Amino acid sequence: MMHNSADSAFRQTLLDHLPDDVLRDAEPRYSEEPRGRWQGAIGLVAAPRSTDQVAQLVALAADARVPVVPYGGGTGLVGGQIMPEGPAPLVISLERMNSIRAIYPEENVLICDAGAILAQVQQAAAAAGRLFPLSLAAQGTARIGGNLATNAGGTGVLRYGNARDLCLGLEAVLPDGQIWHGLKRLRKDNTGYDLRHLLIGSEGTLGIITAASLKLSPQPAHMGTALFVVPSPQAALSLLALARARLGEMVSAFELISGQGLAFLSETLPDVRQPFDVAPAWSVLIDVGLVQGLDPQDALEELFASALSEGLVEDGIVAQSHQQAADFWAVRERIPEANKRIGSISSHDVSLPLGALPAFIDRGRALVEGLGDFRINCFGHVGDGNLHYNVFPAQGGRVSNHQNQRAEVQRRVHDLVHDMGGSVSAEHGIGRLKVDDLERYSDPAKLAAMRAIKTALDPFGIMNPGAVLNTAQMAVKQT
Amino acid sequence: MMHNSADSAFRQTLLDHLPDDVLRDAEPRYSEEPRGRWQGAIGLVAAPRSTDQVAQLVALAADARVPVVPYGGGTGLVGGQIMPEGPAPLVISLERMNSIRAIYPEENVLICDAGAILAQVQQAAAAAGRLFPLSLAAQGTARIGGNLATNAGGTGVLRYGNARDLCLGLEAVLPDGQIWHGLKRLRKDNTGYDLRHLLIGSEGTLGIITAASLKLSPQPAHMGTALFVVPSPQAALSLLALARARLGEMVSAFELISGQGLAFLSETLPDVRQPFDVAPAWSVLIDVGLVQGLDPQDALEELFASALSEGLVEDGIVAQSHQQAADFWAVRERIPEANKRIGSISSHDVSLPLGALPAFIDRGRALVEGLGDFRINCFGHVGDGNLHYNVFPAQGGRVSNHQNQRAEVQRRVHDLVHDMGGSVSAEHGIGRLKVDDLERYSDPAKLAAMRAIKTALDPFGIMNPGAVLNTAQMAVKQT
């Protein structure tokens, strides 16, 4: 693949066609990512003010065979937003395209620029008496275009779905600089191939999302939160089934917390209020969002009583106030920070068939213990079958002493996930971190189809090269 | 495009590689479609017994450049399942691949062959205490592979989504005969481009779905049904918003019925029990599926009282028995049969942004009345913004007197839908009926991307040629 750097000549080409201020300084933030794993190369940074400007930038990059890296909030965890190798790219940041374009409360629809920050979208929906349910740790920084490009997950998926399930339509610039005007506000539209779902989750390798039509929901009348101690992950799943049998779609979140996670919090973030005197091995955080006529505390207490009679819970606290609910959520949400302070050897964003989760947790523990003296913090969106599965040195141990084991731990955990019918990237995507995993674990026919689609839509391979697919190995049009 | 007929030489090729009984007689059903609009050409009909056999058939067809028409239940309304022109195709019917492969009630997952009949899937789910919520008139005949290939809709979409929203994974044979093994049971899987969503809705032009992993739901504890008379379509939408504010996702169906539809029923199907003494201009059929602790009759009566105080309803009946609920549904479900007996000049499966629906109904009426003396029956899945909009001759008039107006009526109605941000195919797909509409109304960048994808995945253009895209105009690999 022959690409050219976004050099001073290309800079001049851009300035011949676009206002000077479309270019920004290449600040360090554009070349860093949250894990500190890679340092990106940058040729130029453009921050367009309109979809037309994005289209011009992409068309000029295509003409010049300059790689393009789309940039949202920069919060991705798999390196999809930075390009460490090859000719220095044109980074196109959507930061100036951050308007809420329109909101239709009676339709439960909101249309915004791709650069709108997730929290801003949530707030605009709330101001209109509606809910935009995508909810994740980075929501104060992440931009909706990046959320869609990576099909973000988070804590609202159980009830409301992934980012792709919340999107009714897209506007996007395709790799040849054409604008696809697809901002439909329709619940049903069977007119041809679903380009929307193809772009969502393609991580900037098939185009740049410039705006989205998003699905809102009614706000639940009453919210309730509880922490229940469960005897096992299997009991957690049975509790989930019981909760859904009793409350249907009104179960909004169902998160697993491990005793190891609580211990890490206690060790590294003592300001976080521990909910139990003795940290239980397994607990679940449950949110319910109920309709009028149902009382959340009653509902959660009845759920607890019913679960207790079936041996599915051992202890529990139903939040009696917003503050207590917020405290419970702080426990869950600060676990990643505690993990970071402890320092993991390897971390995994995996999903399993729900029925296979308990066996995976057992087999994973046996596997990891067989590899050395490690601690495991396994937690997360258990209602979606999605675990964040992180491996740490033993108490007092140092990550630096296990560098040579990192690759083996990762490989063995991923092999186990794959063997059990799971996914090695549940919600974070492939980015640059998991390109080899994708090649190893993907179905060959799917991988071949992906390559054919990439080549068809991006014949010069300029869109986010090196992310998702190993384009260096692909036949790419040279002329 | 150079294709060859599935002739006697090709028949021999198939028999050299596959058991004799893979071929079936070319019975008339394989060359007919429900609207009686086209007569298909057939070279050979194969009914494979396994995915491997499907793969062999497609690979041999690809080698011989023989067109392939995938065939499910044959219930599609847009001619996607028959090929009236060109070299006689190989029809591959999935009728012998109709097993429920596995069911995982605790995961809310069911895996079945693509040839499983929709009603059979519903029954298997029910037998396991679960709900498979895809529900449509043809469910006793339609096969799940066809439902997915066309992204079928129906009456459960408001709560549970389209066919695509009910699919966790696919197994499919791609146009080169490769099998994609993608039968995941995962709620989250961000590993590369979403081939599942690309195949769903591609109407057999990108491959043949051979099996699916389907999402089940808990069965609601209590069902309730009501018919409410509303003063206008706008009131119907406000009633929907009120119902969802009160009952959230537990509103399962919300269907609009017009006075014209009731009059057609009365005229052509007098055995259908009319719910009201005087047929109201507009009424809505509401289904709720409630959790434990909520009474459906109370919920519907309270909804009615609340709506009455806001002027959103004028009259209403809450079903007091299963039989009465079934009678209400019979009214809704037999309207298409009444339409058929009256005989429409043109029929439209359109969707609009919810907020634009009332204006569309007004403008559509003015438009159609301006074209001649017609009757309109406008009804359907109003909660999804999806109307079945059918135009009929005036009382006593004959369709045959309006043949020359058919094209104009269709075009003008579709133009109006498009101008108002709607879709000219909400749930039926493009098939062969709406290829020209797709070319007329699609965004050019989307259409170009669709063509590029089709050429990339099906370079010889053998998969269902003439459906969705006008492949005759596309550059297709000749060698």
Side-chain angles (χ1 to χ4, degrees):
Chain A
M1 191 162 29
M2 297 288 284
H3 285 152
N4 301 313
S5 289
D7 57 13
S8 57
F10 184 63
R11 182 174 191 279
Q12 192 53 53
T13 302
L14 296 185
L15 295 181
D16 289 346
H17 293 81
L18 289 142
D20 288 7
D21 75 347
V22 78
L23 295 178
R24 299 204 63 151
D25 291 342
E27 295 168 13
R29 64 189 169 109
Y30 297 113
S31 55
E32 295 165 355
E33 48 82 32
R35 296 212 169 162
R37 194 177 162 117
W38 296 282
Q39 183 74 30
I42 297 184
L44 297 167
V45 175
R49 295 184 188 277
S50 69
T51 304
D52 284 340
Q53 288 188 353
V54 177
Q56 282 185 283
L57 289 163
V58 172
L60 292 168
D63 279 350
R65 309 290 187 268
V66 167
V68 171
V69 176
Y71 194 88
T75 61
L77 294 171
V78 289
Q81 70 275 49
I82 57 102
M83 192 175 142
E85 293 174 344
L90 170 66
V91 173
I92 299 183
S93 169
L94 279 291
E95 64 199 63
R96 283 173 173 156
M97 292 174 61
N98 59 4
S99 298
I100 307 294
R101 293 194 190 176
I103 182 160
Y104 305 86
E106 76 284 7
E107 295 182 9
N108 281 307
V109 174
L110 182 152
I111 296 179
C112 65
D113 287 343
I117 288 173
L118 173 52
Q120 177 195 351
V121 176
Q122 293 168 342
Q123 286 155 17
R130 295 293 182 272
L131 176 71
F132 182 65
L134 188 67
S135 176
L136 40 86
Q139 63 198 24
T141 313
R143 297 179 191 274
I144 196 71
N147 293 147
L148 290 165
T150 59
N151 186 29
T155 56
V157 176
L158 180 67
R159 180 167 186 167
Y160 299 103
N162 290 297
R164 74 166 66 253
D165 301 305
L166 303 173
C167 180
L168 297 171
L170 291 177
E171 177 191 89
V173 173
L174 301 183
D176 60 357
Q178 292 288 305
I179 301 171
W180 169 43
H181 298 280
L183 287 178
K184 299 278 178 108
R185 285 146 51 202
L186 305 174
R187 306 283 159 164
K188 285 180 168 177
D189 180 21
N190 279 350
T191 50
Y193 305 162
D194 202 316
L195 203 51
R196 166 188 54 144
H197 278 303
L198 185 61
L199 284 177
I200 295 173
S202 68
E203 304 185 38
T205 64
L206 298 178
I208 303 182
I209 294 168
T210 55
S213 172
L214 301 173
K215 195 193 292 184
L216 307 179
S217 290
Q219 290 178 323
H222 309 289
M223 295 297 299
T225 301
L227 262 177
F228 289 173
V229 176
V230 293
S232 65
Q234 177 62 59
L237 291 174
S238 300
L239 175 63
L240 172 64
L242 182 67
R244 298 192 71 196
R246 295 179 69 93
L247 295 167
E249 295 96 331
M250 294 184 290
V251 183
S252 297
F254 197 90
E255 297 283 312
L256 184 71
I257 297 171
S258 75
Q260 188 65 72
L262 295 175
F264 284 175
L265 277 177
S266 170
E267 185 179 335
T268 63
L269 297 167
D271 62 305
V272 174
R273 189 188 297 260
Q274 290 277 334
F276 299 103
D277 294 335
V278 178
W282 299 107
S283 51
V284 292
L285 176 62
I286 307 175
D287 251 13
V288 296
L290 305 184
V291 297
Q292 293 171 36
L294 293 176
D295 181 87
Q297 291 192 19
D298 289 352
L300 287 165
E301 280 164 16
E302 287 164 18
L303 173 63
F304 182 81
S306 177
L308 191 66
S309 74
E310 296 186 27
L312 302 179
V313 293
E314 294 176 336
D315 194 359
I317 320 172
V318 176
Q320 303 296 313
S321 65
H322 288 299
Q323 183 57 51
Q324 198 175 12
D327 286 348
F328 290 176
W329 271 100
V331 171
R332 165 62 185 87
E333 290 183 338
R334 297 193 71 186
I335 289 174
E337 188 181 342
N339 286 344
K340 202 165 180 178
R341 290 183 184 221
I342 296 287
S344 71
I345 296 165
S346 75
S347 59
H348 308 268
D349 163 42
V350 302
S351 66
L352 279 301
L354 278 183
L357 265 178
F360 167 75
I361 290 174
D362 288 344
R363 290 175 63 181
R365 175 167 296 280
L367 171 76
V368 170
E369 286 177 355
L371 294 173
D373 192 9
F374 298 122
R375 290 177 293 179
I376 297 167
N377 186 10
C378 163
F379 67 104
H381 319 300
V382 69
D384 312 316
N386 178 192
L387 295 174
H388 298 306
Y389 190 92
N390 297 359
V391 179
F392 301 84
Q395 183 87 38
R398 299 169 68 108
V399 173
S400 54
N401 293 340
H402 298 282
Q403 290 299 346
N404 61 338
Q405 291 180 282
R406 182 188 292 259
E408 188 182 3
V409 172
Q410 284 192 339
R411 169 61 60 92
R412 297 284 294 273
V413 170
H414 283 176
D415 281 355
L416 178 62
V417 168
H418 181 70
D419 289 347
M420 295 183 77
S423 167
V424 299
S425 184
E427 60 175 11
H428 294 165
I430 298 299
R432 289 173 173 82
L433 181 65
K434 296 185 180 175
V435 172
D436 292 342
D437 287 308
L438 186 70
E439 302 223 346
R440 178 175 174 87
Y441 300 114
S442 262
D443 177 85
K446 174 184 169 181
L447 205 53
M450 284 176 57
R451 291 196 172 111
I453 292 165
K454 169 72 174 174
T455 304
L457 296 184
D458 183 15
F460 305 118
I462 61 160
M463 290 306 307
N464 213 2
V468 184
L469 290 168
N470 189 339
T471 40
Q473 295 178 352
M474 290 169 58
V476 171
K477 204 186 267 191
Q478 299 295 339
T479 56
Chain B
M1 192 161 28
M2 296 289 284
H3 284 154
N4 301 312
S5 289
D7 57 12
S8 57
F10 184 62
R11 182 174 191 279
Q12 192 53 53
T13 302
L14 296 185
L15 295 181
D16 289 345
H17 293 81
L18 289 143
D20 287 8
D21 76 346
V22 78
L23 294 179
R24 298 204 63 151
D25 292 341
E27 295 167 15
R29 64 190 169 109
Y30 297 113
S31 56
E32 295 165 356
E33 48 81 34
R35 297 211 168 163
R37 195 179 161 114
W38 296 282
Q39 184 75 28
I42 296 185
L44 297 167
V45 175
R49 295 183 188 276
S50 69
T51 303
D52 284 341
Q53 288 188 353
V54 177
Q56 282 186 283
L57 288 164
V58 172
L60 292 168
D63 279 349
R65 308 289 188 270
V66 167
V68 171
V69 176
Y71 195 88
T75 62
L77 293 172
V78 288
Q81 70 275 47
I82 57 100
M83 192 176 142
E85 293 174 345
L90 170 66
V91 173
I92 299 183
S93 169
L94 279 291
E95 64 199 62
R96 283 174 173 154
M97 292 173 60
N98 58 4
S99 298
I100 307 295
R101 292 194 190 175
I103 182 160
Y104 305 86
E106 76 283 7
E107 295 182 8
N108 281 308
V109 174
L110 182 151
I111 296 180
C112 65
D113 287 343
I117 288 174
L118 173 51
Q120 177 195 350
V121 176
Q122 294 168 342
Q123 286 154 17
R130 294 294 182 272
L131 176 71
F132 183 63
L134 188 67
S135 175
L136 41 86
Q139 62 198 22
T141 313
R143 298 179 191 272
I144 196 71
N147 293 147
L148 290 165
T150 59
N151 186 29
T155 56
V157 175
L158 181 68
R159 180 168 186 168
Y160 299 103
N162 289 299
R164 74 166 67 253
D165 302 305
L166 303 173
C167 179
L168 297 171
L170 292 178
E171 177 191 89
V173 172
L174 301 182
D176 60 356
Q178 292 287 305
I179 301 171
W180 169 42
H181 298 279
L183 286 179
K184 299 278 179 110
R185 285 145 51 200
L186 305 174
R187 306 283 160 165
K188 285 180 168 176
D189 180 22
N190 278 350
T191 50
Y193 305 161
D194 202 316
L195 203 52
R196 167 188 53 145
H197 278 303
L198 185 62
L199 284 177
I200 295 172
S202 68
E203 304 184 39
T205 64
L206 298 178
I208 302 182
I209 294 168
T210 54
S213 172
L214 301 173
K215 195 193 292 185
L216 307 180
S217 290
Q219 289 178 324
H222 309 288
M223 295 297 299
T225 301
L227 262 176
F228 288 174
V229 176
V230 292
S232 64
Q234 177 62 59
L237 290 174
S238 300
L239 175 63
L240 172 64
L242 181 68
R244 297 192 72 195
R246 295 179 68 95
L247 296 167
E249 295 96 331
M250 294 184 289
V251 183
S252 297
F254 198 89
E255 299 283 312
L256 185 70
I257 297 172
S258 75
Q260 189 65 74
L262 295 174
F264 284 173
L265 276 176
S266 171
E267 184 179 337
T268 64
L269 298 166
D271 61 306
V272 174
R273 189 188 296 262
Q274 290 276 333
F276 300 102
D277 294 336
V278 178
W282 299 107
S283 51
V284 291
L285 176 62
I286 307 175
D287 251 13
V288 296
L290 304 184
V291 297
Q292 293 172 37
L294 294 176
D295 181 87
Q297 292 192 17
D298 289 352
L300 288 165
E301 282 163 16
E302 287 164 19
L303 173 64
F304 182 81
S306 177
L308 191 65
S309 74
E310 296 184 29
L312 303 178
V313 294
E314 294 175 336
D315 194 0
I317 320 171
V318 176
Q320 303 296 313
S321 64
H322 288 298
Q323 183 57 51
Q324 197 175 12
D327 286 348
F328 289 176
W329 272 100
V331 170
R332 164 63 185 86
E333 290 183 338
R334 297 193 71 186
I335 288 174
E337 188 182 343
N339 286 343
K340 203 166 181 177
R341 291 183 184 221
I342 296 287
S344 71
I345 295 165
S346 75
S347 59
H348 307 268
D349 163 42
V350 302
S351 65
L352 280 301
L354 278 183
L357 264 177
F360 167 76
I361 291 174
D362 288 345
R363 291 175 62 182
R365 175 167 295 281
L367 171 76
V368 170
E369 286 178 354
L371 294 173
D373 193 9
F374 297 122
R375 289 177 294 177
I376 297 167
N377 186 10
C378 163
F379 68 102
H381 319 300
V382 68
D384 311 316
N386 178 193
L387 296 174
H388 297 307
Y389 190 92
N390 297 0
V391 178
F392 301 83
Q395 183 88 36
R398 301 170 67 107
V399 172
S400 53
N401 294 340
H402 298 283
Q403 290 298 346
N404 60 338
Q405 291 180 284
R406 181 189 293 258
E408 187 183 5
V409 172
Q410 284 193 336
R411 169 62 60 93
R412 298 283 295 275
V413 170
H414 283 174
D415 281 354
L416 178 62
V417 168
H418 181 71
D419 289 348
M420 296 183 77
S423 168
V424 300
S425 184
E427 60 175 12
H428 294 165
I430 298 300
R432 290 173 173 83
L433 181 65
K434 297 186 180 175
V435 172
D436 292 343
D437 288 309
L438 186 71
E439 302 224 345
R440 179 175 173 87
Y441 300 114
S442 262
D443 177 85
K446 174 185 169 181
L447 205 53
M450 284 177 58
R451 291 197 170 111
I453 292 165
K454 169 71 174 174
T455 304
L457 296 184
D458 183 15
F460 305 117
I462 61 161
M463 290 305 308
N464 213 3
V468 184
L469 290 168
N470 189 339
T471 41
Q473 296 179 352
M474 289 169 58
V476 171
K477 205 186 265 190
Q478 300 296 340
T479 55

